[in-house]
Amino acid sequence: MDKDKLLEEIIKSNEEMLRHFTDTSNDLLESIQNHQSKLFEVNIKLDELYRTKNVYHPSTNSRKNVFSPLIKLNENDEKNNAINAQIDDLKIVKQTLEAKIATEESKIKAISEKLSSLNSAKKAINNLRTLIEDTEEEDFDGFQFLEEEEPAVPENQKYGTNILMLDAFDKTYIGTILDTRIKAEIENNSHRLDMLSYLISSDPEIARSTAEEISDQLDKTCDSIDSLLTHINYNFNADQSIWVLLDDFVTNNRDLHPECVLEADIKCPDPDIHLSYEKNIALMNLLDIMFDNIYKHSNANQIKFRLTVTDKNIDVTINDNGIGISKNYYQKSPWYSNLHRAHGLIYLLDGELNISGSKKNGTTVSFNFPR
């Protein structure tokens, strides 16, 4: 691998790790602040209950002061027992919150150490880059060592390996979201429900606020699940005709991105034509990749989409009026990027893919594969 490309990969990985741990640390800090706010409320409630309890002697019907009402022994004991039960419940909540705060503070400390190491690594990488650039600018006399060229990797092996890596990447991505986001949100809601069970009787106003927080978190959990289902095409009906699939695709994109004018020209001799299940999925994945790339990176406000179905092929051309794309985009993009995924899909379909662009003409994507 070229040393410049290798260095870029290292820099990119370092930046991704820095962003990941920084975001995680910020999330933990926000969580600690929430726990501390609830702990403050619990301490206030405990203080109120202790003061209420001290108004009466728990085992006598004599009053603490002349303004205290006359209460029979059994009534006094019943009130005292109820207060003690509330105090015990709040103590459990308090211990739970304190334990969570301690755990999350420990995690932040560990993350801070990692961030320190990553920042040191970033400085070292920058120094290494400077050293390499300085070395390349020098003129050497005398011997020059010849590096052995790496043996060429066959195309089928290159794409096959990348497809396997992408499959592993997808599974890791889904597992990470399930573990770090959805599972964490469920656990947080479980703790809030513990608090809510007490607050319903003791402080209805805070209970109502806590219930709203739980509702908001459940909405976010549903959004995370929907995102994963979309990622794995769970709701995609690949048994529909190609005309219906493309009509839905164009309509959805126009609805979701009104800021970008989409001109569509679909030429299909028969609206009832069905592709095979796997080719329907591959085609829609390719279109999702290309359009998503336009919306995220091109700054375009116009897209021209043309798809032609012939007896032998599916031919697609997509042009936008955005900022274009680098000629060496494939080398610059990480192996798990959507553009690498598109190349892998086209290879599996035994098709062809061409992507070109410039600041003047935007980006043009054309691909085809056999029906």
Side-chain angles (χ1 to χ4, degrees):
M1 182 183 287
D2 181 76
K3 59 178 176 294
D4 291 332
K5 184 178 178 182
L6 179 61
L7 190 59
E8 289 298 326
E9 288 290 337
I10 295 172
I11 292 171
K12 188 175 293 184
S13 298
N14 182 265
E15 291 294 336
E16 288 175 355
M17 292 296 287
L18 275 170
R19 282 196 297 271
H20 168 73
F21 284 117
T22 300
D23 291 343
T24 304
S25 179
N26 290 336
D27 290 342
L28 285 170
L29 284 171
E30 184 178 351
S31 178
I32 287 174
Q33 288 176 352
N34 290 335
H35 294 332
Q36 287 174 337
S37 297
K38 291 174 182 176
L39 185 60
F40 178 74
E41 294 170 359
V42 169
N43 285 329
I44 290 175
K45 287 295 177 186
L46 278 171
D47 184 59
E48 290 176 355
L49 288 171
Y50 281 129
R51 280 183 290 165
T52 302
K53 180 181 176 181
N54 289 334
V55 173
Y56 305 100
H57 287 292
S59 58
T60 179
N61 60 358
S62 61
R63 292 174 290 169
K64 290 279 290 184
N65 56 63
V66 294
F67 300 105
S68 299
L70 290 171
I71 301 178
K72 295 180 180 179
L73 179 60
N74 59 346
E75 294 176 337
N76 203 15
D77 287 341
E78 186 178 342
K79 182 175 181 65
N80 186 68
N81 292 336
I83 293 174
N84 283 334
Q86 292 179 11
I87 289 174
D88 290 340
D89 289 341
L90 277 178
K91 282 181 177 179
I92 293 173
V93 175
K94 180 179 179 180
Q95 290 172 357
T96 302
L97 289 171
E98 288 174 341
K100 288 179 185 176
I101 291 171
T103 300
E104 291 176 353
E105 285 177 342
S106 177
K107 289 180 180 178
I108 288 177
K109 183 179 179 182
I111 290 173
S112 297
E113 294 174 356
K114 289 182 173 65
L115 285 172
S116 178
S117 298
L118 286 168
N119 281 316
S120 298
K122 183 177 181 180
K123 292 179 182 178
I125 292 169
N126 289 333
N127 291 336
L128 179 61
R129 171 187 263 177
T130 303
L131 181 63
I132 291 173
E133 290 173 351
D134 292 343
T135 304
E136 289 177 345
E137 290 176 359
E138 295 178 3
D139 293 326
F140 291 97
D141 294 325
F143 293 104
Q144 182 176 359
F145 293 96
L146 299 177
E147 296 182 0
E148 291 186 9
E149 292 186 2
E150 294 182 4
V153 180
E155 285 293 299
N156 61 340
Q157 183 178 333
K158 179 178 71 175
Y159 283 116
T161 301
N162 208 49
I163 289 163
L164 289 173
M165 290 169 66
L166 284 168
D167 180 63
F169 177 83
D170 283 340
K171 290 177 179 177
T172 303
Y173 170 79
I174 293 171
T176 301
I177 298 298
L178 287 170
D179 184 52
T180 62
R181 187 182 301 171
I182 295 177
K183 183 180 176 182
E185 288 170 358
I186 291 173
E187 288 177 346
N188 286 338
N189 282 330
S190 177
H191 297 317
R192 288 190 177 95
L193 286 170
D194 291 339
M195 168 96 51
L196 185 62
S197 63
Y198 161 74
L199 292 173
I200 286 174
S201 59
S202 63
D203 195 326
E205 189 59 36
I206 297 180
R208 189 178 297 107
S209 175
T210 304
E212 291 174 356
E213 288 181 16
I214 294 173
S215 178
D216 291 341
Q217 285 298 321
L218 288 174
D219 288 340
K220 291 179 181 179
T221 302
C222 289
D223 289 341
S224 297
I225 293 172
D226 287 340
S227 176
L228 286 180
L229 292 175
T230 300
H231 184 76
I232 62 175
N233 289 317
Y234 179 76
N235 294 317
F236 177 63
N237 183 5
D239 293 325
Q240 300 177 96
S241 69
I242 187 172
W243 178 264
V244 172
L245 289 173
L246 292 172
D247 186 60
D248 288 345
F249 176 83
V250 171
T251 301
N252 289 337
N253 274 270
R254 284 172 174 164
D255 290 342
L256 293 173
H257 299 277
E259 76 285 355
C260 198
V261 177
L262 173 55
E263 299 178 14
D265 180 15
I266 312 298
K267 295 181 179 178
C268 185
D270 183 357
D272 293 327
I273 289 177
H274 284 69
L275 298 182
S276 64
Y277 183 87
E278 65 275 8
K279 288 194 175 182
N280 265 342
I281 291 177
L283 172 61
M284 303 315 295
N285 277 345
L286 285 166
L287 293 179
D288 282 335
I289 287 171
M290 300 310 175
F291 275 76
D292 187 59
N293 208 54
I294 293 173
Y295 296 134
K296 287 183 178 178
H297 306 297
S298 73
N299 295 330
N301 57 22
Q302 185 178 37
I303 302 173
K304 294 181 179 179
F305 168 44
R306 184 173 71 252
L307 186 145
T308 303
V309 181
T310 68
D311 291 339
K312 295 183 178 180
N313 293 324
I314 304 294
D315 294 296
V316 177
T317 302
I318 305 166
N319 173 257
D320 67 67
N321 64 346
I323 60 176
I325 190 170
S326 171
K327 290 182 179 179
N328 57 343
Y329 72 89
Y330 192 79
Q331 289 74 25
K332 285 187 173 182
S333 303
W335 64 267
Y336 52 82
S337 70
N338 276 335
L339 290 178
H340 280 257
R341 192 182 298 270
H343 278 273
L345 284 170
I346 288 293
Y347 173 78
L348 289 174
L349 294 168
D350 194 24
E352 296 180 354
L353 170 64
N354 292 293
I355 303 177
S356 61
S358 66
K359 292 182 178 179
K360 181 179 179 181
N361 299 317
T363 301
T364 299
V365 176
S366 61
F367 64 85
N368 63 78
F369 58 85
R371 267 180 61 181

